Structures are given as structure tokens and as C-alpha cells.
Amino acid sequence: MSDFKIASREQENVNVLALKGYLDAHTAPKLEEAFQNLIASQHFKIVVNCKDLSYISSAGLGVFMAFIEDVRQNMGDIKLTNMSPKVYNVFDLLGFPLLYEIFKEENEAINRFFDKPK
Amino acid sequence: MKDGSIQIESRTERLIAVREFVSAAARSFGFNDEDVSKIALAVDEACTNIIKHAYQFDPKKTIKVAVAAEKRAFQVVIRDSGNQFNPARLHSPDMKEYLSHYRRGGLGVYLMKSLMDKVEFDIAPGKLNEVRLTKYLP
């Protein structure tokens, strides 16, 4: 039985990771591996859809922190979408909305990658 | 709510069992879903710290998590006998400074303090370390 799953797909050159289940110290290495694979294959535009993410602890948050700098240095970003209020509260408690763009819907995050610079 | 306890091996796959045990106790004590989630997360963070730092992923070690109720106070006591605990880690980071440096880790204690009303540590490395997390019914 696995309590955490990642579905990965590509849409308009943006990689979407859809998370499902419980992201804690036990399952965080799975997400870490998914980010490592994307970065190793030069994919830096990443959207993480949290619609089916039921739980996150600081071990999960740490994964986002581990890769954000690398991704941004390569003109990419990690954008987050579809968070439940429960998951958002944990991000919010740590001030993560200052560092990450969080969208209601996945499409908004994907489109944001193609916004013209002001 | 009846007082009770659970003992787990020091393995991250056991965190889910701890969260379920503490959630059930907190719910029967009268907390709403939001507070139940906060308590479960705080206890997860305490146990994760022990598994990673006090026991350094040694699965032969054990962690005991006990819940007790007194009037409007719900208390979770987490005990380990690890000897690698560094009390310097107990200091909470300044989050603005933390985020600006893209740091990783060390967020557990900050979360525990944010989620609970009271967080106390009794640290005796190699003998008995105790973390007490308390939350009051609103």
C-alpha cells in the first residue's frame, strides 16, 4: 500500500506533478526523486497540483525549498495549485506564499509561464 | 476520552499510525477537524525529529506517544532515549530570513510551536528525552 502518489505529465512544455495522499518524512523522498528527474532532464517549468494532497508536513515543504533556487536559476519556477485549505494553512504558517506563486487552478499556473514580461 | 499510548519503531513509515492514534484521541476529546489536524501535524513533526536526529534512522529504537486529558487541556507526551539530540535545534528560525536563503529543514520545531499552545522539552541525552505538546479546547 502506498499512501502517496505522483502523476506526472507534460502540457505546453510545462511539467505538471499531481500529488495524491500524504506527504510526510516517509513519502517526501518520492517527491524529491520526481523533482530530481525533471531537473536532470532540463525541465524547469514545473506546476505542482495539490488537489488530492491530503496532508503535508515540514519534510514535504522542505522538498520545495530544496529545488526552488536551482529551478529559478534556470529560468523556471515551481508553481503550486488547487490546495485544500488544510494544506494551504501549513504553507501559510511558514510564510511560503511569499516565496511561491499559488493558484486556484492548474491552468492559471501553466498560463503564467507564458505571460509576457512587463 | 481515555488516556492511552502507542509505541512505534523509529521508522518514518510508522508516522501515519501515530497521526491516526493522536487524531482519534483529539477528536474524541472534542477538537474540531482543524485543531485535530494541527495536533496530528505537531506530533508528526516531533516524531520526525526524533527519527531523524535523536535516533538517526535506527529502526531498532522506539518512540512512545501518550495522550492525556485534564480539564480543557489535551496533552501529548513523546518520549525517546536517543543521544544525538542537539538542543540548539530547538531555536525557531526567523522565517523571513529563512525563506530568503532557501534553507531546508529545521522547520519542525517552528511548526510545533505555531500549532500548539504549549511546547516543552526535557532533554537528557541517552537517558530519556521528553517533548510535551499541549493544546486547550477553545
PDB file of all heavy atoms in Angstrom, chain B residues 29-67:
ATOM      1  N   PHE B  29     -11.736  13.971  22.296  1.00  0.00           N
ATOM      2  CA  PHE B  29     -11.633  14.958  23.378  1.00  0.00           C
ATOM      3  C   PHE B  29     -12.498  16.181  23.065  1.00  0.00           C
ATOM      4  O   PHE B  29     -12.860  16.935  23.967  1.00  0.00           O
ATOM      5  CB  PHE B  29     -10.164  15.390  23.542  1.00  0.00           C
ATOM      6  CG  PHE B  29      -9.913  16.273  24.730  1.00  0.00           C
ATOM      7  CD1 PHE B  29     -10.186  15.835  26.015  1.00  0.00           C
ATOM      8  CD2 PHE B  29      -9.384  17.554  24.569  1.00  0.00           C
ATOM      9  CE1 PHE B  29      -9.948  16.659  27.115  1.00  0.00           C
ATOM     10  CE2 PHE B  29      -9.142  18.377  25.664  1.00  0.00           C
ATOM     11  CZ  PHE B  29      -9.429  17.930  26.941  1.00  0.00           C
ATOM     12  N   GLY B  30     -12.837  16.385  21.782  1.00  0.00           N
ATOM     13  CA  GLY B  30     -13.758  17.466  21.439  1.00  0.00           C
ATOM     14  C   GLY B  30     -13.221  18.509  20.475  1.00  0.00           C
ATOM     15  O   GLY B  30     -13.890  19.504  20.200  1.00  0.00           O
ATOM     16  N   PHE B  31     -12.029  18.312  19.942  1.00  0.00           N
ATOM     17  CA  PHE B  31     -11.483  19.286  18.992  1.00  0.00           C
ATOM     18  C   PHE B  31     -12.175  19.164  17.635  1.00  0.00           C
ATOM     19  O   PHE B  31     -12.595  18.068  17.245  1.00  0.00           O
ATOM     20  CB  PHE B  31      -9.977  19.064  18.805  1.00  0.00           C
ATOM     21  CG  PHE B  31      -9.141  19.530  19.956  1.00  0.00           C
ATOM     22  CD1 PHE B  31      -8.512  18.622  20.793  1.00  0.00           C
ATOM     23  CD2 PHE B  31      -8.993  20.896  20.211  1.00  0.00           C
ATOM     24  CE1 PHE B  31      -7.746  19.053  21.860  1.00  0.00           C
ATOM     25  CE2 PHE B  31      -8.221  21.336  21.279  1.00  0.00           C
ATOM     26  CZ  PHE B  31      -7.598  20.413  22.113  1.00  0.00           C
ATOM     27  N   ASN B  32     -12.270  20.294  16.928  1.00  0.00           N
ATOM     28  CA  ASN B  32     -12.808  20.251  15.568  1.00  0.00           C
ATOM     29  C   ASN B  32     -11.730  19.761  14.600  1.00  0.00           C
ATOM     30  O   ASN B  32     -10.572  19.591  14.981  1.00  0.00           O
ATOM     31  CB  ASN B  32     -13.378  21.618  15.155  1.00  0.00           C
ATOM     32  CG  ASN B  32     -12.302  22.700  15.094  1.00  0.00           C
ATOM     33  OD1 ASN B  32     -11.109  22.407  14.975  1.00  0.00           O
ATOM     34  ND2 ASN B  32     -12.717  23.955  15.181  1.00  0.00           N
ATOM     35  N   ASP B  33     -12.155  19.548  13.336  1.00  0.00           N
ATOM     36  CA  ASP B  33     -11.236  18.960  12.352  1.00  0.00           C
ATOM     37  C   ASP B  33      -9.953  19.769  12.204  1.00  0.00           C
ATOM     38  O   ASP B  33      -8.865  19.214  12.061  1.00  0.00           O
ATOM     39  CB  ASP B  33     -11.913  18.857  10.973  1.00  0.00           C
ATOM     40  CG  ASP B  33     -12.923  17.723  10.947  1.00  0.00           C
ATOM     41  OD1 ASP B  33     -12.934  16.930  11.901  1.00  0.00           O
ATOM     42  OD2 ASP B  33     -13.699  17.655   9.975  1.00  0.00           O
ATOM     43  N   GLU B  34     -10.104  21.099  12.223  1.00  0.00           N
ATOM     44  CA  GLU B  34      -8.931  21.949  12.022  1.00  0.00           C
ATOM     45  C   GLU B  34      -7.912  21.749  13.143  1.00  0.00           C
ATOM     46  O   GLU B  34      -6.715  21.599  12.900  1.00  0.00           O
ATOM     47  CB  GLU B  34      -9.392  23.421  11.962  1.00  0.00           C
ATOM     48  CG  GLU B  34      -8.309  24.337  11.446  1.00  0.00           C
ATOM     49  CD  GLU B  34      -8.772  25.796  11.435  1.00  0.00           C
ATOM     50  OE1 GLU B  34     -10.003  26.039  11.427  1.00  0.00           O
ATOM     51  OE2 GLU B  34      -7.884  26.673  11.451  1.00  0.00           O
ATOM     52  N   ASP B  35      -8.406  21.735  14.369  1.00  0.00           N
ATOM     53  CA  ASP B  35      -7.486  21.548  15.502  1.00  0.00           C
ATOM     54  C   ASP B  35      -6.919  20.128  15.550  1.00  0.00           C
ATOM     55  O   ASP B  35      -5.757  19.931  15.923  1.00  0.00           O
ATOM     56  CB  ASP B  35      -8.182  21.904  16.821  1.00  0.00           C
ATOM     57  CG  ASP B  35      -8.263  23.413  17.024  1.00  0.00           C
ATOM     58  OD1 ASP B  35      -7.431  24.137  16.424  1.00  0.00           O
ATOM     59  OD2 ASP B  35      -9.150  23.877  17.767  1.00  0.00           O
ATOM     60  N   VAL B  36      -7.748  19.156  15.181  1.00  0.00           N
ATOM     61  CA  VAL B  36      -7.255  17.772  15.140  1.00  0.00           C
ATOM     62  C   VAL B  36      -6.072  17.689  14.173  1.00  0.00           C
ATOM     63  O   VAL B  36      -5.036  17.086  14.472  1.00  0.00           O
ATOM     64  CB  VAL B  36      -8.391  16.805  14.707  1.00  0.00           C
ATOM     65  CG1 VAL B  36      -7.830  15.421  14.369  1.00  0.00           C
ATOM     66  CG2 VAL B  36      -9.442  16.687  15.814  1.00  0.00           C
ATOM     67  N   SER B  37      -6.208  18.335  13.004  1.00  0.00           N
ATOM     68  CA  SER B  37      -5.123  18.317  12.011  1.00  0.00           C
ATOM     69  C   SER B  37      -3.866  18.984  12.559  1.00  0.00           C
ATOM     70  O   SER B  37      -2.749  18.524  12.316  1.00  0.00           O
ATOM     71  CB  SER B  37      -5.535  19.074  10.744  1.00  0.00           C
ATOM     72  OG  SER B  37      -6.660  18.496  10.185  1.00  0.00           O
ATOM     73  N   LYS B  38      -4.057  20.099  13.270  1.00  0.00           N
ATOM     74  CA  LYS B  38      -2.904  20.814  13.831  1.00  0.00           C
ATOM     75  C   LYS B  38      -2.154  19.942  14.836  1.00  0.00           C
ATOM     76  O   LYS B  38      -0.920  19.883  14.831  1.00  0.00           O
ATOM     77  CB  LYS B  38      -3.366  22.105  14.527  1.00  0.00           C
ATOM     78  CG  LYS B  38      -3.775  23.198  13.555  1.00  0.00           C
ATOM     79  CD  LYS B  38      -4.210  24.438  14.313  1.00  0.00           C
ATOM     80  CE  LYS B  38      -4.584  25.540  13.331  1.00  0.00           C
ATOM     81  NZ  LYS B  38      -5.094  26.740  14.029  1.00  0.00           N
ATOM     82  N   ILE B  39      -2.895  19.272  15.695  1.00  0.00           N
ATOM     83  CA  ILE B  39      -2.270  18.440  16.724  1.00  0.00           C
ATOM     84  C   ILE B  39      -1.525  17.272  16.068  1.00  0.00           C
ATOM     85  O   ILE B  39      -0.382  16.966  16.425  1.00  0.00           O
ATOM     86  CB  ILE B  39      -3.344  17.936  17.731  1.00  0.00           C
ATOM     87  CG1 ILE B  39      -3.932  19.135  18.501  1.00  0.00           C
ATOM     88  CG2 ILE B  39      -2.749  16.908  18.691  1.00  0.00           C
ATOM     89  CD1 ILE B  39      -5.216  18.830  19.270  1.00  0.00           C
ATOM     90  N   ALA B  40      -2.174  16.639  15.072  1.00  0.00           N
ATOM     91  CA  ALA B  40      -1.535  15.497  14.398  1.00  0.00           C
ATOM     92  C   ALA B  40      -0.244  15.934  13.708  1.00  0.00           C
ATOM     93  O   ALA B  40       0.771  15.227  13.752  1.00  0.00           O
ATOM     94  CB  ALA B  40      -2.505  14.881  13.392  1.00  0.00           C
ATOM     95  N   LEU B  41      -0.265  17.115  13.099  1.00  0.00           N
ATOM     96  CA  LEU B  41       0.934  17.607  12.411  1.00  0.00           C
ATOM     97  C   LEU B  41       2.058  17.903  13.417  1.00  0.00           C
ATOM     98  O   LEU B  41       3.216  17.542  13.202  1.00  0.00           O
ATOM     99  CB  LEU B  41       0.594  18.860  11.596  1.00  0.00           C
ATOM    100  CG  LEU B  41       1.754  19.563  10.880  1.00  0.00           C
ATOM    101  CD1 LEU B  41       2.525  18.618   9.972  1.00  0.00           C
ATOM    102  CD2 LEU B  41       1.236  20.754  10.063  1.00  0.00           C
ATOM    103  N   ALA B  42       1.687  18.521  14.543  1.00  0.00           N
ATOM    104  CA  ALA B  42       2.701  18.843  15.559  1.00  0.00           C
ATOM    105  C   ALA B  42       3.368  17.566  16.079  1.00  0.00           C
ATOM    106  O   ALA B  42       4.592  17.514  16.256  1.00  0.00           O
ATOM    107  CB  ALA B  42       2.067  19.629  16.712  1.00  0.00           C
ATOM    108  N   VAL B  43       2.565  16.530  16.298  1.00  0.00           N
ATOM    109  CA  VAL B  43       3.114  15.268  16.813  1.00  0.00           C
ATOM    110  C   VAL B  43       3.970  14.582  15.741  1.00  0.00           C
ATOM    111  O   VAL B  43       5.029  14.029  16.044  1.00  0.00           O
ATOM    112  CB  VAL B  43       1.967  14.346  17.302  1.00  0.00           C
ATOM    113  CG1 VAL B  43       2.513  12.987  17.732  1.00  0.00           C
ATOM    114  CG2 VAL B  43       1.214  14.998  18.461  1.00  0.00           C
ATOM    115  N   ASP B  44       3.525  14.651  14.497  1.00  0.00           N
ATOM    116  CA  ASP B  44       4.325  14.123  13.373  1.00  0.00           C
ATOM    117  C   ASP B  44       5.701  14.797  13.358  1.00  0.00           C
ATOM    118  O   ASP B  44       6.740  14.137  13.244  1.00  0.00           O
ATOM    119  CB  ASP B  44       3.559  14.387  12.068  1.00  0.00           C
ATOM    120  CG  ASP B  44       4.342  14.017  10.805  1.00  0.00           C
ATOM    121  OD1 ASP B  44       5.564  14.260  10.741  1.00  0.00           O
ATOM    122  OD2 ASP B  44       3.724  13.529   9.840  1.00  0.00           O
ATOM    123  N   GLU B  45       5.711  16.117  13.516  1.00  0.00           N
ATOM    124  CA  GLU B  45       6.977  16.861  13.482  1.00  0.00           C
ATOM    125  C   GLU B  45       7.905  16.428  14.621  1.00  0.00           C
ATOM    126  O   GLU B  45       9.110  16.281  14.431  1.00  0.00           O
ATOM    127  CB  GLU B  45       6.716  18.368  13.572  1.00  0.00           C
ATOM    128  CG  GLU B  45       5.934  18.959  12.393  1.00  0.00           C
ATOM    129  CD  GLU B  45       6.691  18.924  11.069  1.00  0.00           C
ATOM    130  OE1 GLU B  45       7.924  18.745  11.090  1.00  0.00           O
ATOM    131  OE2 GLU B  45       6.045  19.052  10.011  1.00  0.00           O
ATOM    132  N   ALA B  46       7.315  16.243  15.810  1.00  0.00           N
ATOM    133  CA  ALA B  46       8.126  15.829  16.966  1.00  0.00           C
ATOM    134  C   ALA B  46       8.727  14.446  16.711  1.00  0.00           C
ATOM    135  O   ALA B  46       9.921  14.220  16.963  1.00  0.00           O
ATOM    136  CB  ALA B  46       7.267  15.819  18.236  1.00  0.00           C
ATOM    137  N   CYS B  47       7.905  13.522  16.190  1.00  0.00           N
ATOM    138  CA  CYS B  47       8.400  12.155  15.948  1.00  0.00           C
ATOM    139  C   CYS B  47       9.413  12.137  14.805  1.00  0.00           C
ATOM    140  O   CYS B  47      10.403  11.402  14.865  1.00  0.00           O
ATOM    141  CB  CYS B  47       7.231  11.215  15.635  1.00  0.00           C
ATOM    142  SG  CYS B  47       6.160  10.946  17.051  1.00  0.00           S
ATOM    143  N   THR B  48       9.166  12.936  13.768  1.00  0.00           N
ATOM    144  CA  THR B  48      10.111  13.006  12.646  1.00  0.00           C
ATOM    145  C   THR B  48      11.477  13.483  13.136  1.00  0.00           C
ATOM    146  O   THR B  48      12.514  12.929  12.769  1.00  0.00           O
ATOM    147  CB  THR B  48       9.575  13.947  11.545  1.00  0.00           C
ATOM    148  OG1 THR B  48       8.352  13.406  11.035  1.00  0.00           O
ATOM    149  CG2 THR B  48      10.563  14.074  10.394  1.00  0.00           C
ATOM    150  N   ASN B  49      11.474  14.488  13.991  1.00  0.00           N
ATOM    151  CA  ASN B  49      12.740  14.987  14.561  1.00  0.00           C
ATOM    152  C   ASN B  49      13.482  13.881  15.306  1.00  0.00           C
ATOM    153  O   ASN B  49      14.700  13.761  15.201  1.00  0.00           O
ATOM    154  CB  ASN B  49      12.465  16.136  15.547  1.00  0.00           C
ATOM    155  CG  ASN B  49      12.508  17.488  14.857  1.00  0.00           C
ATOM    156  OD1 ASN B  49      12.942  17.591  13.722  1.00  0.00           O
ATOM    157  ND2 ASN B  49      12.052  18.513  15.554  1.00  0.00           N
ATOM    158  N   ILE B  50      12.726  13.095  16.067  1.00  0.00           N
ATOM    159  CA  ILE B  50      13.359  12.017  16.846  1.00  0.00           C
ATOM    160  C   ILE B  50      13.947  10.965  15.907  1.00  0.00           C
ATOM    161  O   ILE B  50      15.103  10.545  16.063  1.00  0.00           O
ATOM    162  CB  ILE B  50      12.325  11.381  17.814  1.00  0.00           C
ATOM    163  CG1 ILE B  50      11.939  12.396  18.894  1.00  0.00           C
ATOM    164  CG2 ILE B  50      12.894  10.107  18.439  1.00  0.00           C
ATOM    165  CD1 ILE B  50      10.716  12.010  19.704  1.00  0.00           C
ATOM    166  N   ILE B  51      13.142  10.546  14.919  1.00  0.00           N
ATOM    167  CA  ILE B  51      13.615   9.505  13.981  1.00  0.00           C
ATOM    168  C   ILE B  51      14.883   9.975  13.270  1.00  0.00           C
ATOM    169  O   ILE B  51      15.864   9.245  13.164  1.00  0.00           O
ATOM    170  CB  ILE B  51      12.503   9.163  12.957  1.00  0.00           C
ATOM    171  CG1 ILE B  51      11.311   8.520  13.661  1.00  0.00           C
ATOM    172  CG2 ILE B  51      13.043   8.233  11.857  1.00  0.00           C
ATOM    173  CD1 ILE B  51      10.048   8.403  12.807  1.00  0.00           C
ATOM    174  N   LYS B  52      14.862  11.234  12.802  1.00  0.00           N
ATOM    175  CA  LYS B  52      15.995  11.747  12.022  1.00  0.00           C
ATOM    176  C   LYS B  52      17.189  12.107  12.881  1.00  0.00           C
ATOM    177  O   LYS B  52      18.320  11.745  12.569  1.00  0.00           O
ATOM    178  CB  LYS B  52      15.579  13.017  11.260  1.00  0.00           C
ATOM    179  CG  LYS B  52      14.750  12.752  10.037  1.00  0.00           C
ATOM    180  CD  LYS B  52      14.567  14.056   9.258  1.00  0.00           C
ATOM    181  CE  LYS B  52      13.729  13.826   8.018  1.00  0.00           C
ATOM    182  NZ  LYS B  52      13.434  15.086   7.314  1.00  0.00           N
ATOM    183  N   HIS B  53      16.946  12.836  13.955  1.00  0.00           N
ATOM    184  CA  HIS B  53      18.066  13.421  14.696  1.00  0.00           C
ATOM    185  C   HIS B  53      18.457  12.639  15.955  1.00  0.00           C
ATOM    186  O   HIS B  53      19.633  12.377  16.168  1.00  0.00           O
ATOM    187  CB  HIS B  53      17.757  14.876  15.051  1.00  0.00           C
ATOM    188  CG  HIS B  53      17.427  15.689  13.843  1.00  0.00           C
ATOM    189  ND1 HIS B  53      18.335  15.893  12.830  1.00  0.00           N
ATOM    190  CD2 HIS B  53      16.283  16.301  13.444  1.00  0.00           C
ATOM    191  CE1 HIS B  53      17.764  16.616  11.870  1.00  0.00           C
ATOM    192  NE2 HIS B  53      16.523  16.868  12.220  1.00  0.00           N
ATOM    193  N   ALA B  54      17.457  12.290  16.788  1.00  0.00           N
ATOM    194  CA  ALA B  54      17.812  11.620  18.040  1.00  0.00           C
ATOM    195  C   ALA B  54      18.247  10.180  17.773  1.00  0.00           C
ATOM    196  O   ALA B  54      19.209   9.691  18.356  1.00  0.00           O
ATOM    197  CB  ALA B  54      16.636  11.654  19.008  1.00  0.00           C
ATOM    198  N   TYR B  55      17.546   9.513  16.858  1.00  0.00           N
ATOM    199  CA  TYR B  55      17.855   8.093  16.585  1.00  0.00           C
ATOM    200  C   TYR B  55      18.600   7.885  15.273  1.00  0.00           C
ATOM    201  O   TYR B  55      18.989   6.753  14.967  1.00  0.00           O
ATOM    202  CB  TYR B  55      16.556   7.284  16.553  1.00  0.00           C
ATOM    203  CG  TYR B  55      15.928   7.026  17.892  1.00  0.00           C
ATOM    204  CD1 TYR B  55      14.541   6.905  18.012  1.00  0.00           C
ATOM    205  CD2 TYR B  55      16.699   6.869  19.042  1.00  0.00           C
ATOM    206  CE1 TYR B  55      13.940   6.639  19.227  1.00  0.00           C
ATOM    207  CE2 TYR B  55      16.100   6.610  20.268  1.00  0.00           C
ATOM    208  CZ  TYR B  55      14.724   6.493  20.358  1.00  0.00           C
ATOM    209  OH  TYR B  55      14.133   6.232  21.565  1.00  0.00           O
ATOM    210  N   GLN B  56      18.729   8.931  14.492  1.00  0.00           N
ATOM    211  CA  GLN B  56      19.429   8.838  13.200  1.00  0.00           C
ATOM    212  C   GLN B  56      19.013   7.600  12.402  1.00  0.00           C
ATOM    213  O   GLN B  56      19.837   6.814  11.962  1.00  0.00           O
ATOM    214  CB  GLN B  56      20.929   8.881  13.434  1.00  0.00           C
ATOM    215  CG  GLN B  56      21.292  10.112  14.258  1.00  0.00           C
ATOM    216  CD  GLN B  56      22.686  10.608  14.043  1.00  0.00           C
ATOM    217  OE1 GLN B  56      23.626   9.844  14.010  1.00  0.00           O
ATOM    218  NE2 GLN B  56      22.812  11.916  13.875  1.00  0.00           N
ATOM    219  N   PHE B  57      17.686   7.452  12.254  1.00  0.00           N
ATOM    220  CA  PHE B  57      17.072   6.400  11.427  1.00  0.00           C
ATOM    221  C   PHE B  57      17.400   4.974  11.893  1.00  0.00           C
ATOM    222  O   PHE B  57      17.356   4.050  11.092  1.00  0.00           O
ATOM    223  CB  PHE B  57      17.466   6.565   9.945  1.00  0.00           C
ATOM    224  CG  PHE B  57      16.954   7.838   9.332  1.00  0.00           C
ATOM    225  CD1 PHE B  57      17.790   8.935   9.168  1.00  0.00           C
ATOM    226  CD2 PHE B  57      15.620   7.948   8.923  1.00  0.00           C
ATOM    227  CE1 PHE B  57      17.317  10.111   8.598  1.00  0.00           C
ATOM    228  CE2 PHE B  57      15.141   9.122   8.353  1.00  0.00           C
ATOM    229  CZ  PHE B  57      15.990  10.206   8.195  1.00  0.00           C
ATOM    230  N   ASP B  58      17.729   4.780  13.160  1.00  0.00           N
ATOM    231  CA  ASP B  58      17.950   3.428  13.667  1.00  0.00           C
ATOM    232  C   ASP B  58      16.583   2.789  13.973  1.00  0.00           C
ATOM    233  O   ASP B  58      15.932   3.152  14.947  1.00  0.00           O
ATOM    234  CB  ASP B  58      18.806   3.493  14.945  1.00  0.00           C
ATOM    235  CG  ASP B  58      19.048   2.108  15.544  1.00  0.00           C
ATOM    236  OD1 ASP B  58      18.441   1.132  15.052  1.00  0.00           O
ATOM    237  OD2 ASP B  58      19.846   2.020  16.490  1.00  0.00           O
ATOM    238  N   PRO B  59      16.156   1.801  13.156  1.00  0.00           N
ATOM    239  CA  PRO B  59      14.789   1.266  13.298  1.00  0.00           C
ATOM    240  C   PRO B  59      14.617   0.373  14.529  1.00  0.00           C
ATOM    241  O   PRO B  59      13.497  -0.023  14.848  1.00  0.00           O
ATOM    242  CB  PRO B  59      14.595   0.459  12.007  1.00  0.00           C
ATOM    243  CG  PRO B  59      15.966   0.092  11.564  1.00  0.00           C
ATOM    244  CD  PRO B  59      16.898   1.164  12.054  1.00  0.00           C
ATOM    245  N   LYS B  60      15.723   0.059  15.217  1.00  0.00           N
ATOM    246  CA  LYS B  60      15.592  -0.784  16.415  1.00  0.00           C
ATOM    247  C   LYS B  60      15.141   0.029  17.626  1.00  0.00           C
ATOM    248  O   LYS B  60      14.756  -0.511  18.646  1.00  0.00           O
ATOM    249  CB  LYS B  60      16.933  -1.468  16.717  1.00  0.00           C
ATOM    250  CG  LYS B  60      17.334  -2.471  15.631  1.00  0.00           C
ATOM    251  CD  LYS B  60      18.489  -3.354  16.071  1.00  0.00           C
ATOM    252  CE  LYS B  60      19.805  -2.607  16.153  1.00  0.00           C
ATOM    253  NZ  LYS B  60      20.296  -2.135  14.840  1.00  0.00           N
ATOM    254  N   LYS B  61      15.207   1.363  17.503  1.00  0.00           N
ATOM    255  CA  LYS B  61      14.806   2.217  18.621  1.00  0.00           C
ATOM    256  C   LYS B  61      13.289   2.395  18.622  1.00  0.00           C
ATOM    257  O   LYS B  61      12.624   2.175  17.613  1.00  0.00           O
ATOM    258  CB  LYS B  61      15.475   3.585  18.496  1.00  0.00           C
ATOM    259  CG  LYS B  61      16.977   3.516  18.386  1.00  0.00           C
ATOM    260  CD  LYS B  61      17.607   3.162  19.706  1.00  0.00           C
ATOM    261  CE  LYS B  61      19.127   3.310  19.626  1.00  0.00           C
ATOM    262  NZ  LYS B  61      19.776   2.936  20.860  1.00  0.00           N
ATOM    263  N   THR B  62      12.780   2.828  19.764  1.00  0.00           N
ATOM    264  CA  THR B  62      11.323   3.019  19.848  1.00  0.00           C
ATOM    265  C   THR B  62      10.971   4.419  20.363  1.00  0.00           C
ATOM    266  O   THR B  62      11.756   5.070  21.051  1.00  0.00           O
ATOM    267  CB  THR B  62      10.675   1.991  20.796  1.00  0.00           C
ATOM    268  OG1 THR B  62      11.304   2.103  22.066  1.00  0.00           O
ATOM    269  CG2 THR B  62      10.803   0.582  20.260  1.00  0.00           C
ATOM    270  N   ILE B  63       9.772   4.814  19.999  1.00  0.00           N
ATOM    271  CA  ILE B  63       9.232   6.108  20.435  1.00  0.00           C
ATOM    272  C   ILE B  63       7.889   5.829  21.092  1.00  0.00           C
ATOM    273  O   ILE B  63       7.087   5.051  20.559  1.00  0.00           O
ATOM    274  CB  ILE B  63       8.999   7.040  19.223  1.00  0.00           C
ATOM    275  CG1 ILE B  63      10.311   7.284  18.470  1.00  0.00           C
ATOM    276  CG2 ILE B  63       8.381   8.371  19.671  1.00  0.00           C
ATOM    277  CD1 ILE B  63      10.114   8.011  17.143  1.00  0.00           C
ATOM    278  N   LYS B  64       7.661   6.455  22.231  1.00  0.00           N
ATOM    279  CA  LYS B  64       6.369   6.267  22.889  1.00  0.00           C
ATOM    280  C   LYS B  64       5.580   7.582  22.837  1.00  0.00           C
ATOM    281  O   LYS B  64       6.114   8.646  23.174  1.00  0.00           O
ATOM    282  CB  LYS B  64       6.577   5.832  24.338  1.00  0.00           C
ATOM    283  CG  LYS B  64       5.277   5.432  24.996  1.00  0.00           C
ATOM    284  CD  LYS B  64       5.499   4.856  26.375  1.00  0.00           C
ATOM    285  CE  LYS B  64       4.141   4.557  27.007  1.00  0.00           C
ATOM    286  NZ  LYS B  64       4.261   4.183  28.403  1.00  0.00           N
ATOM    287  N   VAL B  65       4.351   7.482  22.400  1.00  0.00           N
ATOM    288  CA  VAL B  65       3.487   8.662  22.306  1.00  0.00           C
ATOM    289  C   VAL B  65       2.274   8.420  23.204  1.00  0.00           C
ATOM    290  O   VAL B  65       1.533   7.455  23.007  1.00  0.00           O
ATOM    291  CB  VAL B  65       3.020   8.876  20.846  1.00  0.00           C
ATOM    292  CG1 VAL B  65       2.087  10.076  20.759  1.00  0.00           C
ATOM    293  CG2 VAL B  65       4.226   9.058  19.916  1.00  0.00           C
ATOM    294  N   ALA B  66       2.099   9.272  24.206  1.00  0.00           N
ATOM    295  CA  ALA B  66       0.986   9.102  25.146  1.00  0.00           C
ATOM    296  C   ALA B  66       0.091  10.327  25.132  1.00  0.00           C
ATOM    297  O   ALA B  66       0.589  11.456  25.002  1.00  0.00           O
ATOM    298  CB  ALA B  66       1.533   8.865  26.554  1.00  0.00           C
ATOM    299  N   VAL B  67      -1.212  10.101  25.225  1.00  0.00           N
ATOM    300  CA  VAL B  67      -2.140  11.229  25.284  1.00  0.00           C
ATOM    301  C   VAL B  67      -2.821  11.241  26.648  1.00  0.00           C
ATOM    302  O   VAL B  67      -3.121  10.197  27.221  1.00  0.00           O
ATOM    303  CB  VAL B  67      -3.222  11.161  24.174  1.00  0.00           C
ATOM    304  CG1 VAL B  67      -2.585  11.323  22.807  1.00  0.00           C
ATOM    305  CG2 VAL B  67      -3.999   9.855  24.231  1.00  0.00           C
TER     306      VAL B  67
END
